[in-house]
Amino acid sequence: MMPKPVPASSQKLHSLIESNTAVAGIVGLGYVGLPLAVETARCGFRSLGYDVSARVVDSINAGRSHIIDISSDV
């Protein structure tokens, strides 16, 4: 049995990841999403976050973490 060919879109994604030019989108910046966004950025990827809470968004945009385990220090 022959293996299935890899779709072009998968090849492109793989290339973006290897070159650290992929962008990670995280929906929800709570106790799971914010640490994920921070670690993704630490790995060298651009990280975009979305949250429905204006308070959370304003806090993050001001450079303050609303999660006790995530430091506001850069």
Side-chain angles (χ1 to χ4, degrees), residues 15-64:
S15 173
L16 291 171
I17 292 170
E18 283 188 335
S19 64
N20 268 29
T21 56
V23 179
I26 292 94
V27 178
L29 297 172
Y31 289 98
V32 173
L34 185 58
L36 177 61
V38 168
E39 290 305 315
T40 302
R42 284 185 182 154
C43 288
F45 294 97
R46 190 162 171 224
S47 186
L48 298 174
Y50 174 83
D51 201 284
V52 296
S53 169
R55 181 186 61 81
V56 168
V57 172
D58 290 343
S59 175
I60 292 169
N61 284 338
R64 293 185 311 270

Side-chain angles (χ1 to χ4, degrees), residues 1-7:
M1 179 180 257
M2 296 289 293
K4 292 182 180 180
V6 178

